[in-house]
Amino acid sequence: MGLISHYNIRRVIDIYGAVQDRDLGAVSRDVEKIVSANQKLLPRGTFISVRGQVQTMRSSYVGLLLGLVLAVVLVYMLIVINFQSWLDPFIIITALPAALTGIVLFLFLTHTTLSVPALMGALMCMGIATANSVLVISFAKERLREHGDSIRAALEAGTTRFRPVVMTALAMVIGMVPMALGLGDGGEQNAPLGRAVIGGLMAATVATLLFVPAVFSLLHRNARERGAGVAT
């Protein structure tokens, strides 16, 4: 008995394939190269389209990447409302590029491919990194109002908030270690999430304690000098 398959009314010939010992993204890129090379050799009215898990993967990536960008924007606007300033929220989110760098570097070192769990871990990491930066900058603002020295305020914020920032990040990192190891049946599925959080928090913590206070001292010193220049 003959079997005729249809997709969107058109007759189709389905060729099924599965991934073995490679990630879906790399295989889909190889398939796309083959399809592009042979597309012009097809008879008129015939075309090749790649469907299945590749479409789901791409739509998930687009949704999570847009969610990541939207999360950063919403967090920034929320901090603007809280601090009543555009400058301090910008200083706070300067730790986020370091977090993203740490995520990419840790995934590369652990030979972990980018996946939906890894992007979910990146979203989690953004929130924790922002909270630690808020902790440092809010204290630096208090010290700046007291004595007016931005460099001294940054140093005091970095040293005073060192313990709470490190303990917050360390607790999260330790909690993610079992997941990052991917032990047990099916553990490898969620391992990218734990690895992304660990890598991102390690880099974000260093940036929060060193880079963020440095940016605070620089920008507030420049703002103070501009104010003094206008006053004179």
Side-chain angles (χ1 to χ4, degrees):
M1 183 178 67
L3 177 63
I4 300 176
S5 300
H6 290 81
Y7 182 77
N8 287 341
I9 307 177
R10 292 177 178 268
R11 290 187 178 184
V12 297
I13 299 175
D14 292 321
I15 301 175
Y16 297 95
V19 178
Q20 181 70 32
D21 298 329
R22 294 185 65 192
D23 61 283
L24 182 61
V27 172
S28 67
R29 286 192 295 270
D30 292 341
V31 171
E32 289 291 347
K33 290 179 182 178
I34 298 172
V35 170
S36 300
N38 292 276
Q39 192 80 42
K40 57 186 177 181
L41 304 177
L42 296 174
R44 179 177 296 181
T46 306
F47 59 91
I48 304 175
S49 62
V50 181
R51 296 185 285 118
Q53 291 184 343
V54 175
Q55 290 178 322
T56 305
M57 178 190 69
R58 289 173 180 169
S59 62
S60 299
Y61 279 2
V62 171
L64 284 172
L65 288 173
L66 289 176
L68 184 62
V69 174
L70 184 61
V72 173
V73 173
L74 290 178
V75 166
Y76 178 76
M77 298 306 298
L78 182 63
I79 302 173
V80 167
I81 296 172
N82 187 31
F83 278 79
Q84 296 295 309
S85 168
W86 293 95
L87 180 61
D88 293 323
F90 172 76
I91 298 171
I92 289 170
I93 66 171
T94 54
L96 300 186
L100 292 174
T101 303
I103 291 170
V104 173
L105 185 60
F106 200 77
L107 291 178
F108 175 76
L109 293 176
T110 56
H111 304 287
T112 306
T113 57
L114 185 64
S115 60
V116 172
L119 291 175
M120 292 174 63
L123 281 169
M124 294 172 58
C125 185
M126 294 298 104
I128 301 170
T130 303
N132 286 339
S133 293
V134 169
L135 193 65
V136 172
I137 296 303
S138 60
F139 186 81
K141 287 280 289 183
E142 293 177 6
R143 303 304 300 164
L144 182 64
R145 282 193 292 266
E146 282 195 24
H147 49 65
D149 189 346
S150 62
I151 297 178
R152 181 181 167 190
L155 291 173
E156 290 173 346
T159 54
T160 305
R161 297 304 188 193
F162 178 83
R163 181 178 294 180
V165 169
V166 170
M167 290 303 295
T168 302
L170 192 61
M172 191 69 178
V173 167
I174 293 174
M176 286 291 171
V177 167
M179 182 183 293
L181 293 176
L183 303 177
D185 295 336
E188 193 63 28
Q189 281 187 325
N190 294 322
L193 189 152
R195 293 167 187 170
V197 171
I198 291 173
L201 280 183
M202 289 172 63
T205 302
V206 175
T208 300
L209 295 174
L210 298 177
F211 182 73
V212 172
V215 174
F216 176 87
S217 65
L218 178 64
L219 294 183
H220 276 279
R221 183 180 64 183
N222 291 341
R224 195 175 185 85
E225 289 175 355
R226 287 194 298 269
V230 172
T232 55

